[in-house]
């Protein structure tokens, strides 16, 4: 399993998930900047993602949906706020309605991705920061922590060059 830790901090309103991979930082960066590779792991295995729009630059946006086993589509959006290739990415993250418009009552989370070289391997830390304890608790109750762990567990196969399933 690639995930080595998951830390919830209600005081900091954050959830940090750390994973390590047998690939260099530049290679791991590619799974973020290429929407086709991102689709292979963003979302748990039973909820694969499809990115409809992907403007990977500061101020750019992405829209996607994850399709559940019964065909249900859960939509989301990102707004890229900082991109420091190949080791730093920050974005605002939120839910969207059926037409792709942001759902404001769910709030917005800030996601920061840090990639660190650890002797030719890569440690990836994804830290989500929430607007309130209530939002954080709701997201964790909805399965965010478990879902991120399952999603990140799919990255090794991509990095090893295995074909999509």
């Amino acid at each position: 399993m690639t995930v080595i830790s998951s830390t919830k901090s209600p005081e900091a309103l954050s959830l940090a998930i750390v994973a390590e991979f047998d690939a260099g930082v530049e290679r791991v960066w590619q799974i973020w900047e290429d929407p086709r590779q991102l689709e292979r792991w963003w979302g748990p295995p039973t909820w694969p993602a499809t990115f409809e729009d992907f403007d990977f630059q500061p101020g750019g946006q992405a829209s996607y949906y994850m399709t559940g086993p019964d065909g249900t589509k859960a939509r989301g959006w990102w707004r890229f706020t900082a991109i420091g290739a190949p080791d730093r990415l920050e974005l605002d993250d939120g839910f969207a309605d059926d037409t792709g418009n942001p759902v404001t009552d769910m709030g917005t989370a800030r996601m920061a991705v840090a990639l660190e070289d650890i002797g030719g391997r890569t440690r990836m830390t994804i830290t989500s920061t929430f607007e309130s304890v209530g939002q954080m608790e709701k997201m964790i109750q909805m399965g965010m922590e478990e879902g991120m762990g399952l999603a990140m567990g799919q990255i090794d196969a991509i990095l090893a060059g295995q074909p999509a399933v």
Side-chain angles (χ1 to χ4, degrees):
M1 184 64 157
T2 55
V3 174
I4 60 170
S5 71
S6 178
T7 306
K8 294 179 281 252
S9 174
E11 301 79 26
L13 299 176
S14 67
L15 169 64
I17 300 175
V18 180
E20 292 182 356
F21 304 102
D22 289 326
V25 168
E26 291 79 11
R27 175 62 187 104
V28 176
W29 178 259
Q30 292 172 2
I31 67 166
W32 286 99
E33 70 179 355
D34 176 359
R36 304 296 74 92
Q37 290 184 58
L38 194 55
E39 287 175 336
R40 292 186 56 198
W41 72 272
W42 187 256
T46 58
W47 284 81
T50 301
F51 279 81
E52 299 175 297
D53 298 304
F54 194 79
D55 184 13
F56 193 68
Q57 62 179 334
Q61 297 190 37
S63 62
Y64 67 93
Y65 59 88
M66 295 184 296
T67 306
D70 65 355
T72 301
K73 290 185 178 178
R75 293 186 175 275
W77 60 269
W78 291 347
R79 183 175 36 258
F80 299 106
T81 56
I83 297 175
D87 56 12
R88 186 178 61 86
L89 171 65
E90 294 180 14
L91 56 93
D92 292 333
D93 179 21
F95 289 96
D97 63 20
D98 290 339
T99 60
N101 293 312
V103 175
T104 56
D105 65 339
M106 294 294 288
T108 301
R110 170 65 53 100
M111 184 168 41
V113 179
L115 302 178
E116 174 188 0
D117 177 52
I118 51 171
R121 301 177 71 234
T122 300
R123 176 175 295 138
M124 178 168 68
T125 303
I126 300 176
T127 304
S128 293
T129 306
F130 304 94
E131 296 173 340
S132 67
V133 172
Q135 180 195 31
M136 179 179 171
E137 289 173 349
K138 184 169 187 162
M139 296 301 295
I140 290 171
Q141 287 173 354
M142 290 174 66
M144 179 181 185
E145 183 176 16
E146 179 184 2
M148 284 291 293
L150 291 169
M152 292 167 73
Q154 301 172 105
I155 295 173
D156 282 327
I158 299 165
L159 297 174
Q162 295 175 8
V165 186

